[in-house]
Amino acid sequence: MNPLDQHIIIIGGGAVGLSTAYHLGKLGCPNVLLLEQNELTSGTSWHAAGIVGPLRASQNLTDLAKYALELVETIESETGQATGYKRTGGLWLTQSADRITELRRIAAMGEMNGLHGEFMSAGELGERFPMINHHDLAGAMYLPQDGQINPVDLCMALAKGARANGVEIREHTGVTGIVVENGIAKSVVTDSGEKIECDIVVNCGGLWARSIGELAGVNVPLHAVEHMYVVTEPIPELPQPWPVCRDMEGALYIKEDAGKLVLGVFEPNAKLWDHNSVDRKASYLVFEEDWDHVEPMLKAGINRIPRFETIGVSHFMTGPESFTPDTRQLMGRSAEVENFFVAAGMNSLGIMSSPGVGKAMADWVVQGRSPMDLWEVDIMRFQPKDNDLGFVRERIIEAVSNQFDMHWPLKQYKTGRNRTRSVWHERMAELGAVFGATAGWERPLWFARGDEPHAIEYGYGDQCWWPVAERESKMLERSGALFELSPFSKIFVQGPDAVAALQWICTNNVDVPVGRVVYTLMLNEKAGIECELTVIRTAQDQYLLTTASLTRIRDIDWVVRNARQFDIEVIDRTDEFSVLGVMGPNANLLLSELCDTSLELADFPFATSRVVTVADTELRASRLSFVGESGWELMIANDHALSVLDKILAKCKHHEIGMAGLMTMECCRLEKGYLHWGHEIGPEENPYQAHLGFAVRKNKPGGFLGLEALLELDLPQHKSLVLFEAGNSRPLLLHDEPIYLDGKWIGRTTSGGVGFRTGKFLCFGYIDTDCVPGACEYSREFEVKIAGELHSLVALPSAPYDPKGLRMRT
Ligand SMILES: Cc1cc2nc3c(=O)[nH]c(=O)nc-3n(C[C@H](O)[C@H](O)[C@H](O)COP(=O)(O)OP(=O)(O)OC[C@H]3O[C@@H](n4cnc5c(N)ncnc54)[C@H](O)[C@@H]3O)c2cc1C
């Protein structure tokens, strides 16, 4: 069927559902039906404050948000419906020098999207905006592109535009059931008992999206809170236009509304609200005024705008709004039901996000794939355990305050911790592990000794853990280190068609002898990289796929969806095994004392894997290296994992091997020039841009998914990945920092850090292909802008640590 002709049902007539409907209509989809249980906008959209702020935490999210500015320009003339949009400019006010650094970093990122933040001192602010108390401020950023809109009018314009393009909108039609057969939503049932058949369902149910998901067996981890603002009496002397003010430490925003000021809060102790506590069809919900609750923020508001003290409050508004565990939207196709999409959990940014979210969702539904890299907001980043109500309720309180909190490098949530621990957790803690959470797993970030830091101390300068990572990296290089790798996803693919299936979805040749390990990619039909993984052939008809812990659900989904035509089983066994990395020059010596098999290179070559006995336990040993040293990954059934670890630990001292954490691993992988999916590579990059052609077998019999597009890509590439070293400074390289050549912006960083074995500050970045140095041009002067300062960069022709990979193969 032509994807445009699919029968698409959108559930929810708020800003997000209406924008999705509008954009599907614009794409020319003739069979779109939007169902709203009450009236349009009667959920949360009617009472939003209407701030439209395009500058977000990353480039892709900024792109998504920035589209709102484009849409409001066109939709008014297209529909004749005003939206009330006003470009007022916006101020980000802060008392903290660290926050200024953070804002400067965000501003540099925004520049790449055409948003130009201007910085001013507290004194300058006071002169330009005398109503604002500037005396306790460290400074401010002004963004001319900030603005505000009338949410209901925006929704009405979207509805009008959608209808004009053939979308049917039915109000007072609630969805009470979703019929799912063999993992596919076949129809929805309405509260009048009508059954409507469909090809696609899009859940835009706002805070009700969790319950709508339950109707189909889809996890939608979000929860509502009571979200509030107060509106003052008119202030005659209020300057026009009044900029949207964000008082970062006060956790509040102040915007204008018809000559009055609106003060809204993102408090540290948000009040959860259970949508099941009222009738399903309750609409235009408002809650009781809770003055005690907002008092600290009101005080902060009076401090910021002293005029508040003498002006009355005309209205106290508390309505429900849903937040997600990581304060990022939930978008995309669900893993549980193939044709069920979600666009919900807007974290109080749903009005400003709705144009971009609706456009992206429409493209996603029609193309079957996200139109840009939206991994940050993809609902598949969450696992079923993340929908646990206890976890969600605890985390959501933190998620609300997270909107205005500092976004420190390596920032960890305080709530919802210790949900998944490896069997080694206690032992690692005894050994000094400082834990951080990834995909719900507690992972040792580093192992503190003596007076080394036993907790993260956040900052935008030298990181507190650098000296520890330096010690661990040097120990690894000199003798060796043990790494906890249990969170890696372990996916078995087995059955009569296992070879054929993986040959089809992998770029590399995986039809290798049993025991071989293959590094490969999986591509989409446009040759974008959907997955980067290690494949071990464990039997004639069985493979073990190892991927990152964060992409577990997405990777399984990719394999299942793209290998449907094959007779295979896909089994997720991540939680059954622990994995220990034993790496470094002495790793072989240590393991040989415990292993029944020769570990000599000639007997057990690099990139092979076998079941052996170590410490009286059968386990899978794979000779691999992610840190550039000779080493092993031991995959051990959980029941035996602790005893194996203890026996290995007992030998460590003799071989001068100690524990090392995730941060050391990260430093070492940069030095080796290894890439991370989600940073250096993703659906928008092809293997050639990332120099991963070595993992592609174009002549593989039968071809593979993405090959056709790849063949066309033997053309020049518009961007190319380069590894850089900082010239003469110690910058904190993270990601999304702009890169310049001869003063011209040519690209952005994807990740960065320090390599302690080489003493280099390193980052990866994509730059315009024309600017990639030729063989003799590595002396060209590149620069990176970090927090407003330019640092010189030198492009490296190869990875700085053991570029030939000799150490891994000894
Ligand atoms: C006090 C406050 C201030 C805010 N300020 C801002 C701001 O300044 N800027 C900003 O961008 N955002 C702001 N927001 C957030 C914004 O209002 C929301 O993020 C946005 O409205 C979410 O839109 P939505 O379409 O996802 O949800 P909703 O508008 O809630 O729409 C979901 C719809 O689904 C319908 N529905 C639910 N279940 C069913 C069912 N079973 N069948 C059929 N229909 C169903 C509901 O009736 C509802 O109409 C604010 C929110 C609050 C509470």
Side-chain angles (χ1 to χ4, degrees), residues 139-313:
M141 180 176 83
Y142 177 75
L143 190 74
Q145 291 94 342
D146 269 343
Q148 59 190 56
I149 203 163
N150 183 340
V152 173
D153 290 344
L154 171 68
C155 289
M156 290 308 136
L158 289 166
K160 208 167 166 187
R163 284 189 176 110
N165 283 297
V167 173
E168 185 188 349
I169 296 178
R170 278 196 224 163
E171 294 179 277
H172 304 290
T173 310
V175 171
T176 51
I178 297 171
V179 179
V180 177
E181 286 171 19
N182 298 325
I184 296 177
K186 295 282 182 189
S187 56
V188 306
V189 183
T190 71
D191 41 15
S192 67
E194 188 187 2
K195 200 166 166 186
I196 311 172
E197 293 193 353
C198 58
D199 300 305
I200 300 278
V201 177
V202 192
N203 175 0
C204 299
L207 65 92
W208 297 270
R210 184 188 176 92
S211 295
I212 295 170
E214 280 164 9
L215 297 176
V218 171
N219 292 306
V220 184
L222 54 73
H223 200 285
V225 299
E226 295 186 16
H227 199 42
M228 38 198 102
Y229 57 71
V230 295
V231 186
T232 66
E233 298 288 353
I235 305 177
E237 72 277 23
L238 196 68
Q240 293 291 339
W242 175 260
V244 173
C245 295
R246 298 172 184 87
D247 182 333
M248 304 311 288
E249 286 74 37
L252 52 96
Y253 61 85
I254 301 160
K255 57 153 290 217
E256 183 262 356
D257 182 22
K260 307 165 186 170
L261 284 181
V262 176
L263 183 151
V265 299
F266 285 84
E267 67 275 39
N269 54 341
K271 291 170 77 177
L272 292 168
W273 181 72
D274 177 5
H275 67 277
N276 291 314
S277 61
V278 297
D279 182 74
R280 182 179 63 79
K281 292 196 80 171
S283 58
Y284 298 106
L285 286 156
V286 281
F287 308 126
E288 273 182 26
E289 300 173 4
D290 186 343
W291 289 99
D292 289 343
H293 186 74
V294 292
E295 194 187 336
M297 276 69 68
L298 286 185
K299 279 191 177 149
I302 291 170
N303 171 53
R304 191 56 56 225
I305 312 275
R307 178 73 170 91
F308 273 146
E309 198 148 27
T310 51
I311 198 86
V313 168

Side-chain angles (χ1 to χ4, degrees), residues 449-601:
R449 290 184 186 168
D451 55 8
E452 289 176 342
H454 288 258
I456 305 177
E457 295 153 22
Y458 295 125
Y460 274 110
D462 286 10
Q463 298 294 289
C464 74
W465 50 267
W466 281 358
V468 192
E470 180 164 15
R471 174 182 58 71
E472 291 179 355
S473 299
K474 292 203 167 144
M475 170 183 70
L476 168 70
E477 181 182 23
R478 199 177 47 243
S479 43
L482 304 185
F483 293 89
E484 153 75 291
L485 307 175
S486 304
F488 283 162
S489 307
K490 305 159 203 86
I491 306 157
F492 282 85
V493 175
Q494 59 196 46
D497 288 347
V499 180
L502 287 187
Q503 284 292 70
W504 171 241
I505 54 179
C506 294
T507 55
N508 213 335
N509 177 28
V510 293
D511 190 3
V512 289
V514 171
R516 282 295 301 275
V517 182
V518 181
Y519 171 81
T520 184
L521 308 170
M522 294 182 184
L523 305 184
N524 58 38
E525 66 275 22
K526 298 222 158 168
I529 303 171
E530 293 286 344
C531 182
E532 180 216 23
L533 68 160
T534 307
V535 172
I536 302 173
R537 187 154 190 190
T538 45
Q540 281 303 329
D541 58 356
Q542 189 192 57
Y543 290 87
L544 165 59
L545 279 47
T546 310
T547 72
S549 52
L550 268 172
T551 53
R552 176 176 177 178
I553 301 295
R554 188 183 195 282
D555 295 337
I556 295 170
D557 177 78
W558 185 261
V559 173
V560 169
R561 257 186 323 114
N562 290 287
R564 262 194 216 301
Q565 62 276 38
F566 298 100
D567 184 2
I568 54 165
E569 264 183 301
V570 180
I571 307 167
D572 178 6
R573 300 185 68 185
T574 304
D575 298 332
E576 293 173 40
F577 297 96
S578 305
V579 181
L580 187 71
V582 187
M583 302 280 151
N586 293 351
N588 266 16
L589 288 173
L590 184 153
L591 285 179
S592 299
E593 291 178 19
L594 294 167
C595 184
D596 69 339
T597 308
S598 164
L599 301 176
E600 290 299 315
L601 196 64

Side-chain angles (χ1 to χ4, degrees), residues 54-63 109 113 376 735-736:
L55 185 56
R56 315 277 13 127
S58 74
Q59 257 206 294
N60 283 342
L61 295 189
T62 301
D63 269 339
M109 188 265 305
N113 296 57
E376 285 167 276
H735 56 84
D736 284 313

